[in-house]
Amino acid sequence: MMQKGADNEELAAELACQLRTNSGEEATAMLVGMFEIMGKAVNSKLLVAVRSVMSDRSLKLTPRLGELLLRNYAGIQLYQEARDFAICVEREGVLTPISAVLALRATLGTGDFDASISQVKKLAALLQASISGDAPSPAPKRSEEHTSELQSP
């Protein structure tokens, strides 16, 4: 569809159709997989469509999906959109050190150096918390969850 020049609404409708029978967790996992497979082929229309479907379906933002969305916004130099989305990531409580680095990159891209200093402080706090063990990173948590699922009868 993207090669045919589909607009945001068409992409959102197709995504919604593909995800309609999946639970929220499955739909989110499928979006993560889509971004991981597509790599640099993601464009702004797809990002808008994904955000629209997430909103319509009330899909929960995960740390990994947040990172991938931020990476794609920054990768296609939509720095203001990345900054705005970084606020959502932080508000949802899924900010990771990777997300913070991507938010810093986006903030630097907008030329707002005061906001960039603020992002550096957030990143430093996240890194300090993960070094001191106060805030476990999402990756070990997912591993623990996966391990407990494997151990369940």
Side-chain angles (χ1 to χ4, degrees), residues 16-38:
C17 183
Q18 293 295 321
L19 299 174
R20 74 179 176 278
T21 60
N22 300 96
S23 70
E25 273 186 32
E26 291 169 334
T28 300
M30 289 178 76
L31 291 173
V32 166
M34 177 190 71
F35 281 126
E36 289 175 342
I37 289 169
M38 290 186 72

Side-chain angles (χ1 to χ4, degrees), residues 27-55:
T28 300
M30 289 178 76
L31 291 173
V32 166
M34 177 190 71
F35 281 126
E36 289 175 342
I37 289 169
M38 290 186 72
K40 294 183 179 185
V42 173
N43 63 25
S44 61
K45 291 178 183 178
L46 182 60
L47 293 172
V48 170
V50 167
R51 297 280 309 278
S52 174
V53 169
M54 288 180 69
S55 176

Side-chain angles (χ1 to χ4, degrees), residues 9 15 28 32 45 52 62 64 66 71 78 82-83 86 94-95 98 111 113 124 128-129 133 140-141 145 149:
E9 290 84 21
L15 273 173
T28 300
V32 166
K45 291 178 183 178
S52 174
T62 64
R64 182 67 181 143
R71 182 180 315 272
L78 294 174
R83 278 185 67 189
V94 294
L95 186 69
I98 293 170
F113 295 108
Q128 184 62 40
K141 182 178 178 188
E145 289 170 358
E149 287 172 6

Side-chain angles (χ1 to χ4, degrees), residues 10 24 29 42 54 68 75 84 100 108-109 112 117 130-132 140 145:
E10 290 172 323
V42 173
M54 288 180 69
L68 288 166
D84 295 343
L108 288 167
D112 186 343
I117 296 298
S130 74
I131 289 170
S132 67
E145 289 170 358

Side-chain angles (χ1 to χ4, degrees), residues 96-98 100-101 104 118-128:
T96 65
I98 293 170
V101 168
L104 173 59
S118 175
Q119 286 296 334
V120 167
K121 289 177 182 178
K122 287 178 188 176
L123 175 59
L126 270 173
L127 292 174
Q128 184 62 40

